[in-house]
């Protein structure tokens, strides 16, 4: 589903995306849910969209930077982004911004778009004056840039931009234009390569423009989300959804007959599947998995028998109109690493039965159902409108200090199918610190993909339902993932850094959540705002 998009394949990509977007009925959904007075926000074009803050540099010169999106234009071939960067502090020598790659995200569908690169990994658009990909930077001088992305589908009016190092910039409007802006007439970037040769006061740096050619390709993918409970978990990636029923409630050790509790869970899962499966592709694959104990052949056979048992009960409950298929994958696809200190929990995670299917992506009013009792609220999708642009993260609603680092928590903010968590980390010591914000609070045996790196130790917990929402990932295909969160690097003394982590959204009536902030502990009743 995620892939590299060559330039020649752009038109095909657009046609395919139109089928998957499913956005046409959102307006009615929103009105029925929130009333006419709370309809979709007006899409206003108020360029530039500006952020200021401190960013991580590979040299430790973590300067204050102003980042301004001055245009996001959709042509017949591309999406073209225009932006400006100004460093407000003294900065010397070659430096690299350590933020994630510049990325555009449709917050309604979870579609991800990255810039066109050549075969050497260099960006199209504004060309670097040197072969190292670096650009001249002068204190207080603004650099103007152009970058090219795959053409975003016509119905997408707003996107969220990440990658500046200054958090998620929501509600950036996509403007339709007949042709691109003209290239800089007299690009001057190569004339000011050293600190000793700054441009004249008030003069911006510009660079020659290189449009994508036959060697251009761009990463496209999907936001992959993970929601967990004691009974089940759901992984959503593109147009495919996998509901995993945990083994604790499914089978006794080395058995393939369901426990009484498991029978009830499968019956409730049937209701969820009937609601979620795409009616145009009503195929449900029941997949059995085992842990690593036992031989490969034995586990393969056991996983098939378990999947068949679940398939037979599901067929009774879900009724006609669905095609049920069975697969047994034995121990070949573990979601948790066995052999560690949490080995028993990891094996329990790996012994599971999954339902894999293409989900119905048409937004609709959430039905009045109880999810608290069965944990299958993990499969509930919750979509609101894209968040309008706002450069204010809101008031500090919780804070803590640990090992010389102060954490400040801002309100959660809804953005389409996701919520954005914003925190500030401040080094309150006299020396540089590298914070440990990994998965120290992750459920034992939890999937490693959502438990490590950047802010992997952060989770959102919904007390009433018991659901846990992990930091989302961007699935770029071929086993390549990127966390949907800012990277955390060395904190320089006295500096404050604003960071974001993005999670799958809770139901629209949830007004607050508990933030599990890794080593900083838990913070209850963090407000969820629109």
């Amino acid at each position: 589903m995620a892939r590299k998009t060559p330039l020649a394949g752009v038109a095909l990509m657009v046609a395919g995306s139109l089928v998957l977007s499913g956005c046409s009925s959102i307006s009615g959904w929103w009105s029925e849910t929130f009333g006419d007075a709370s309809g979709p926000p007006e899409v206003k074009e108020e360029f530039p969209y500006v952020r200021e803050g401190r960013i991580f540099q590979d040299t430790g010169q973590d300067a204050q930077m102003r980042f301004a999106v001055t245009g996001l234009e959709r042509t017949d071939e591309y999406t073209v982004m225009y932006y400006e960067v100004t460093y407000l502090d003294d900065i010397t020598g070659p430096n690299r911004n350590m933020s994630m790659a510049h990325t555009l995200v449709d917050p309604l569908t979870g579609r991800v778009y990255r810039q066109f690169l050549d075969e050497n990994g260099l960006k199209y658009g504004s060309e670097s004056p040197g072969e190292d990909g670096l650009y001249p930077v002068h204190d207080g001088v603004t650099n103007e840039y152009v970058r090219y992305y795959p053409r975003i589908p016509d119905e997408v009016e707003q996107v969220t931009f990440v990658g500046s190092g200054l958090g998620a910039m929501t509600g950036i409007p996509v403007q339709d234009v007949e042709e691109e802006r003209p290239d800089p007439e007299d690009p001057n970037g190569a004339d000011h390569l050293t600190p000793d040769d700054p441009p004249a006061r008030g003069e911006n740096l510009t660079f020659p423009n290189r449009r994508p050619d036959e060697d251009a390709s761009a990463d496209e993918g999907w936001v992959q989300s993970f929601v967990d409970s004691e009974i089940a978990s759901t992984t959503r990636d593109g147009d495919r959804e996998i509901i995993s029923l945990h083994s604790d409630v499914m089978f006794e050790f080395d058995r393939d007959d369901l426990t009484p509790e498991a029978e009830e869970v499968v019956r409730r899962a049937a209701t969820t599947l009937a609601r979620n499966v795409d009616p145009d592709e009503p195929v449900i694959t029941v997949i059995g998995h085992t842990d690593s104990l036992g031989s490969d052949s034995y586990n393969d056979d056991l996983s098939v028998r378990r999947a068949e048992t679940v398939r037979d009960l599901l067929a009774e409950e879900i009724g006609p109109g669905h095609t049920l298929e069975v697969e047994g994958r034995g121990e070949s696809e573990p979601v948790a690493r066995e052999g560690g200190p949490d080995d028993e929990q990891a094996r329990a995670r790996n012994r599971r039965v999954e339902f894999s299917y293409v989900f119905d992506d048409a937004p609709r009013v959430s039905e009045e159902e109880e999810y608290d009792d069965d944990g299958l609220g993990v499969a509930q999708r919750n979509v609101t409108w894209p968040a309008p642009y706002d450069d204010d993260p809101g008031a500090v609603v919780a804070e803590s200090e640990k090992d010389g680092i102060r954490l400040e928590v801002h309100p959660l903010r809804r953005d389409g199918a996701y919520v954005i968590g914003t925190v500030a980390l401040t080094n309150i010591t006299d020396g540089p610190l590298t914070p440990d914000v990994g998965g120290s609070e992750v459920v034992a045996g939890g999937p490693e993909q959502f438990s490590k790196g950047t802010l992997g130790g952060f989770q959102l917990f919904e007390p009433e339902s018991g659901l846990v929402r992990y930091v989302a990932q961007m699935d770029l295909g071929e086993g390549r993932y990127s966390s949907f969160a800012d990277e955390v690097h060395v904190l320089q003394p006295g500096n404050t850094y604003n960071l974001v982590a993005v999670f799958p959204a809770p139901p629209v009536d949830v007004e607050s959540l508990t933030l599990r902030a890794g080593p900083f502990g838990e913070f209850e009743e963090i407000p969820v705002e629109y």
Side-chain angles (χ1 to χ4, degrees):
M1 288 175 288
R3 56 180 172 166
K4 284 271 192 182
T5 299
L7 181 59
V10 170
L12 177 61
M13 175 276 296
V14 172
S17 294
L18 291 175
V19 176
L20 297 175
S21 66
C23 295
S24 59
S25 62
I26 290 185
S27 181
W29 169 86
W30 182 275
S31 297
E32 290 184 43
T33 306
F34 297 103
D36 293 337
S38 300
E42 180 182 355
V43 178
K44 298 179 180 180
E45 296 181 358
E46 298 178 336
F47 291 93
Y49 293 87
V50 182
R51 277 282 175 85
E52 290 188 11
R54 193 170 301 279
I55 64 167
F56 293 105
Q57 299 275 13
D58 62 348
T59 62
Q61 297 184 73
D62 297 346
Q64 285 284 125
M65 184 184 78
R66 179 188 295 122
F67 186 96
V69 179
T70 58
L72 186 63
E73 299 180 351
R74 180 167 43 208
T75 71
D76 290 339
E77 295 182 273
Y78 321 109
T79 304
V80 189
M81 180 173 167
Y82 302 88
Y83 67 96
E84 299 176 350
V85 173
T86 309
Y87 286 94
L88 307 177
D89 293 342
D90 291 340
I91 187 169
T92 61
N95 293 265
R96 289 185 183 274
N97 185 332
M98 297 178 71
S99 65
M100 73 175 80
H102 286 191
T103 306
L104 301 177
V105 181
D106 176 3
L108 296 179
T109 65
R111 201 79 171 100
V112 171
Y113 307 88
R114 285 191 169 171
Q115 302 171 43
F116 277 106
L117 305 176
D118 65 18
E119 57 188 2
N120 297 315
L122 296 178
K123 303 170 185 175
Y124 288 89
S126 299
E127 285 193 275
S128 166
E131 296 180 356
D132 56 5
L134 297 177
Y135 297 79
V137 170
H138 297 273
D139 304 335
V141 174
T142 296
N143 287 16
E144 299 180 13
Y145 296 100
V146 180
R147 294 291 178 233
Y148 291 88
Y149 295 80
R151 190 179 188 278
I152 293 175
D154 290 333
E155 69 273 17
V156 178
E157 297 183 354
Q158 294 171 290
V159 295
T160 295
F161 171 74
V162 292
S164 67
L166 299 175
M169 300 175 71
T170 61
I172 306 297
V174 183
Q175 303 166 300
D176 287 296
V177 298
E178 293 184 359
E179 59 183 22
E180 291 180 44
R181 300 180 188 183
D183 294 342
E185 292 185 3
D186 297 301
N188 61 350
D191 300 331
H192 304 282
L193 294 179
T194 69
D196 299 329
D197 188 19
R201 184 176 179 83
E203 182 181 2
N204 291 358
L205 291 189
T206 58
F207 307 91
N209 187 37
R210 179 175 64 138
R211 287 178 173 78
D213 53 28
E214 64 276 4
D215 295 325
S217 64
D219 280 331
E220 288 187 65
W222 298 92
V223 177
Q224 186 182 66
S225 60
F226 184 78
V227 182
D228 195 22
S229 76
E230 292 184 356
I231 291 177
S233 63
T234 293
T235 304
R236 189 167 296 121
D237 190 351
D239 63 347
R240 184 157 292 274
E241 194 164 71
I242 296 176
I243 298 179
S244 177
L245 303 183
H246 300 335
S247 71
D248 301 41
V249 297
M250 295 300 294
F251 304 96
E252 298 289 349
F253 178 74
D254 202 30
R255 298 285 296 272
D256 59 18
D257 54 324
L258 291 166
T259 66
E261 182 182 6
E263 290 185 7
E264 181 61 22
V265 170
V266 173
R267 290 189 174 94
R268 292 176 175 176
T271 301
T272 298
L273 291 168
R275 181 183 63 244
N276 286 9
V277 172
D278 186 346
D280 295 327
E281 195 169 345
V283 179
I284 303 171
T285 303
V286 184
I287 307 168
H289 300 267
T290 69
D291 60 30
S292 62
L293 297 179
S295 67
D296 289 351
S297 60
Y298 182 83
N299 284 335
D300 289 345
D301 178 67
L302 178 61
S303 66
V304 170
R305 287 187 280 119
R306 285 178 169 177
E308 289 174 339
T309 299
V310 173
R311 185 269 318 272
D312 293 344
L313 180 56
L314 180 62
E316 296 177 11
E317 294 295 321
I318 203 169
H322 296 83
T323 300
L324 304 183
E325 300 177 346
V326 166
E327 292 184 15
R329 299 182 184 175
E331 60 185 83
S332 63
E333 296 184 0
V335 294
R337 182 180 299 174
E338 299 179 27
D342 58 354
D343 190 47
E344 185 56 44
Q345 294 95 328
R347 288 203 302 269
R349 279 275 172 168
N350 292 331
R351 297 190 302 266
R352 66 199 189 278
V353 172
E354 297 175 338
F355 305 107
S356 177
Y357 53 90
V358 174
F359 67 76
D360 180 6
D361 62 358
R364 57 189 181 276
V365 180
S366 298
E367 300 174 14
E368 295 295 329
E369 297 184 52
E370 289 291 336
Y371 288 92
D372 298 356
D373 294 337
D374 56 25
L376 290 175
V378 295
Q380 185 182 17
R381 290 188 301 280
N382 309 289
V383 184
T384 60
W385 287 104
Y389 180 77
D390 194 340
D391 61 0
D392 183 2
V396 175
V397 295
E399 59 184 312
S400 177
E401 291 184 10
K402 183 176 178 60
D403 298 333
I405 298 173
R406 181 171 65 244
L407 171 75
E408 296 176 319
V409 182
H410 297 277
L412 299 162
R413 190 163 183 239
R414 290 187 182 273
D415 183 30
Y418 310 97
V419 289
I420 299 172
T422 302
V423 299
L425 295 179
T426 302
N427 180 350
I428 58 177
T429 73
D430 296 328
L433 292 174
T434 303
D436 177 13
V437 291
S440 59
E441 296 296 320
V442 170
V443 175
E448 289 187 332
Q449 181 179 320
F450 296 92
S451 306
K452 61 183 180 181
T454 187
L455 296 174
F458 284 34
Q459 301 170 355
L460 295 179
F461 175 65
E462 193 176 326
E464 291 188 6
S465 65
L467 300 184
V468 180
R469 302 175 188 278
Y470 286 62
V471 175
Q473 304 283 316
M474 297 182 193
D475 181 355
L476 301 173
E478 300 176 348
R480 296 176 302 127
Y481 294 90
S482 174
S483 181
F484 201 172
D486 286 319
E487 292 283 349
V488 183
H489 301 283
V490 178
L491 308 182
Q492 299 301 324
N495 285 355
T496 297
Y497 305 80
N498 290 316
L499 307 165
V500 299
V502 178
F503 305 83
V508 293
D509 59 349
V510 172
E511 297 181 350
S512 66
L513 293 167
T514 296
L515 172 65
R516 293 176 173 173
F520 293 96
E522 292 193 1
F523 303 93
E524 298 180 352
E525 297 185 350
I526 303 300
V528 181
E529 299 179 349
Y530 291 101

